[in-house]
């Protein structure tokens, strides 16, 4: 299947002329009409979801709910039924822990250090302030005398740690906090930084004392001091706003179900409390991830009229992904998740900028989660896509909670571009024709998967996860 790109100055040419030359390009008129119809729907849905009136669809805001309602209406028109049949709604509400680090200060023996560089707060930290409190090194000090002191504690963690592993580490030091210590200062003696995980992990404990994480270099400086003393301040704003997953179900009466998912939230108007006041920089998130959401909406329209589907299909638009994959985590940890009934999971995140760098790249991740994937992809051909295949599927999108549950996943993206998480990620920059061809390819993939037994899960190695990160972020 060929992808056709038309320069903007030629768009006004007659559609009749375009259709007339298609046979000479090796593309049937019926195929072109199919692509044209997909493209038209993508324009409408991405245009709506990434419109300024949605104010960036931030999780927990009324604008995310507006987007959820729009998606639910589309699922209804496609003939999907509400998955959460107990209340007849396509929307499943959940609350997520939202942390905003308001203020942080740290001084050791009077020397001030920089927040976000030398240190940062842990999500479970208590608000609090201590002044000129002696620091005890837990590696070399008897903690029986730790009452009223700040404890320097080595996490001894790997660079890549799951949130469950981090929770276990933090749980292990709660007993220290219970001894009446004034504060806890964490570091990683293996010289691997994971401060972002510590701050944003939803599973971290809620401590009764201030807890900060310091860099290895600062920890080494503290260890060299004879009588180190800490002055620190931590203020964190914690809320539990409501967000929504939107789930529509195509029931084929099968024993197995395919999950087709994409997150629909974005980052809103960062730094602005009320987006209707002043002129906020709206982050519309057309590619991230109105593009993936529009793709699953289009796949739902297509699947609802396919007579040959042998599996049930559950379409889920996940909420609060940008806050920490909360929507997909909520689903995977809810009674709605029944592992034995799930065949595999397809994740679409940022599929709207095909050929953004002139390389025709289409990244396919998660191939290591089942031996089936490579066989199927090879049987489908490449078209004009330049596939960048990786066995790994790192934990930065909604496939990850499914991987942790032992579900085979396959994740498509057109990659990270320079407009990622910037106000310029608008609908006008989407390659609609390119995304339409991706949707068409995914339709073929879903049909191909009907003829094989459900893929068998295979755990992805740490090495392959790291390799995937390099392909996406470094060698893009």
């Amino acid at each position: 299947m060929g992808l056709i790109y038309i320069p903007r100055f030629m768009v006004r040419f007659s559609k009749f002329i375009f259709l007339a030359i298609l046979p000479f390009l090796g593309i049937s008129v019926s195929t072109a009409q199919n692509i044209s119809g997909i493209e038209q729907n993508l324009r409408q849905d991405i245009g709506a979801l990434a419109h300024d009136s949605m104010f960036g669809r931030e999780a927990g805001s009324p604008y995310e709910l507006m987007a959820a309602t729009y998606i639910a209406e589309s699922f209804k028109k496609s003939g999907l039924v509400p998955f959460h049949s107990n209340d007849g709604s396509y929307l499943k509400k959940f609350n997520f822990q939202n942390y905003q680090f308001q203020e942080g200060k740290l001084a050791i023996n009077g020397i001030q250090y920089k927040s976000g560089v030398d240190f940062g707060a842990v999500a479970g930290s208590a608000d609090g302030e201590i002044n000129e409190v002696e620091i005890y090194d837990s590696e070399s000090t008897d903690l029986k005398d730790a009452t009223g002191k700040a404890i320097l504690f080595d996490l001894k963690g790997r660079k890549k740690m799951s949130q469950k592993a981090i929770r276990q580490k933090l749980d292990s030091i709660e007993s220290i906090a219970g001894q009446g210590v004034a504060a806890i200062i964490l570091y990683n003696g293996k010289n691997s930084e994971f401060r972002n995980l510590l701050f944003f992990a939803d599973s971290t404990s809620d401590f009764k004392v201030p807890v900060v994480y310091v860099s290895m270099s600062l920890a080494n400086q503290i260890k060299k001091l004879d009588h180190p003393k800490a002055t620190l301040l931590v203020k964190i704003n914690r809320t539990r706003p409501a967000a929504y997953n939107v789930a529509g179900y195509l029931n084929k009466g099968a024993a197995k179900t395919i999950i087709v998912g994409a997150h629909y939230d974005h980052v809103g108007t960062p730094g602005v409390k009320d987006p209707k006041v002043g002129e906020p920089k709206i982050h519309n998130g057309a590619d991230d991830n109105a593009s993936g959401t529009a793709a699953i909406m289009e796949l739902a329209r297509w699947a609802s009229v396919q007579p040959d589907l042998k599996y049930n299909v559950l379409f889920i638009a996940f909420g609060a992904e940008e806050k920490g994959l909360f929507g997909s985590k909520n689903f995977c940890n809810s009674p709605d998740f029944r592992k034995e009934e799930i065949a595999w999971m397809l994740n679409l995140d940022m599929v709207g900028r095909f050929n953004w760098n002139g390389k025709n790249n289409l990244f396919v991740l998660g191939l290591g989660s089942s031996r089936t994937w490579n066989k199927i992809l090879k049987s489908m051909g490449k078209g004009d896509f330049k596939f960048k295949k990786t066995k790994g599927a790192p934990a930065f999108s909604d496939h990850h909670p499914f991987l942790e549950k032992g579900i085979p996943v396959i994740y498509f993206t057109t990659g990270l571009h320079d407009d990622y998480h910037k106000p310029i990620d608008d609908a006008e920059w989407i390659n609609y024709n390119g995304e339409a061809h991706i949707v068409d390819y995914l339709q073929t993939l879903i049909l191909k998967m009907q003829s094989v037994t459900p893929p068998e899960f295979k755990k992805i190695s740490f090495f392959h996860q790291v390799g995937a990160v390099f392909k996406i972020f470094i060698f893009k």
Side-chain angles (χ1 to χ4, degrees), residues 26-241:
I27 303 175
S28 69
V29 173
S30 60
T31 299
Q33 289 173 338
N34 179 52
I35 294 297
S36 176
I38 295 173
E39 184 175 338
Q40 182 177 351
N41 289 335
L42 292 174
R43 286 183 181 276
Q44 177 177 326
D45 292 332
I46 294 175
L49 292 169
H51 193 271
D52 280 353
S53 61
M54 292 284 187
F55 287 102
R57 310 183 306 280
E58 183 177 10
S61 74
Y63 310 107
E64 185 202 37
L65 180 56
M66 284 173 57
T69 304
Y70 178 87
I71 298 162
E73 185 62 27
S74 175
F75 283 171
K76 182 178 180 180
K77 289 180 180 178
S78 295
L80 306 184
V81 298
F83 185 66
H84 311 291
S85 56
N86 57 327
D87 60 1
S89 174
Y90 293 87
L91 276 60
K92 178 65 177 294
K93 180 180 177 181
F94 62 91
N95 293 90
F96 65 96
Q97 185 70 274
N98 190 32
Y99 296 95
Q100 293 179 333
F101 189 16
Q102 289 185 314
E103 187 177 5
K105 295 179 181 179
L106 175 65
I108 307 296
N109 287 3
I111 299 175
Q112 296 284 340
Y113 291 92
K114 191 173 182 180
S115 173
V117 178
D118 302 306
F119 77 98
V122 173
S125 172
D127 288 354
E129 183 175 9
I130 63 171
N131 291 289
E132 292 294 312
V133 170
E134 189 173 356
I135 301 174
Y136 272 24
D137 185 352
S138 64
E139 297 289 297
S140 59
T141 306
D142 187 350
L143 294 179
K144 292 180 181 179
D145 300 322
T147 301
K149 306 297 190 295
I151 302 301
L152 183 66
F153 187 88
D154 187 356
L155 283 168
K156 296 181 180 178
R158 304 185 307 275
K159 185 173 184 179
K160 283 289 181 180
M161 292 180 70
S162 68
Q163 290 190 354
K164 181 178 180 181
I166 292 172
R167 172 62 189 255
Q168 290 171 345
K169 287 280 187 180
L170 296 179
D171 281 348
S172 71
I173 65 172
E174 281 189 310
S175 59
I176 298 174
Q179 295 180 34
V181 302
I184 297 172
I185 301 172
L186 303 175
Y187 70 99
N188 188 353
K190 291 193 175 181
N191 202 26
S192 298
E193 304 291 338
F194 48 87
R195 68 187 71 184
N196 287 339
L197 282 175
L198 283 171
F199 183 72
F200 291 107
D202 66 309
S203 57
T204 51
S205 306
D206 289 326
F207 291 95
K208 296 179 181 179
V209 298
V211 183
V212 296
Y213 174 89
V214 299
S215 66
M216 185 61 200
S217 60
L218 179 50
N220 285 333
Q221 291 179 44
I222 294 172
K223 284 173 170 287
K224 292 177 182 178
L225 298 173
D226 290 333
H227 298 286
K229 291 186 178 181
T231 295
L232 66 85
L233 169 69
V234 175
K235 286 186 180 180
I236 299 175
N237 179 30
R238 295 177 180 83
T239 58
R240 286 189 58 80

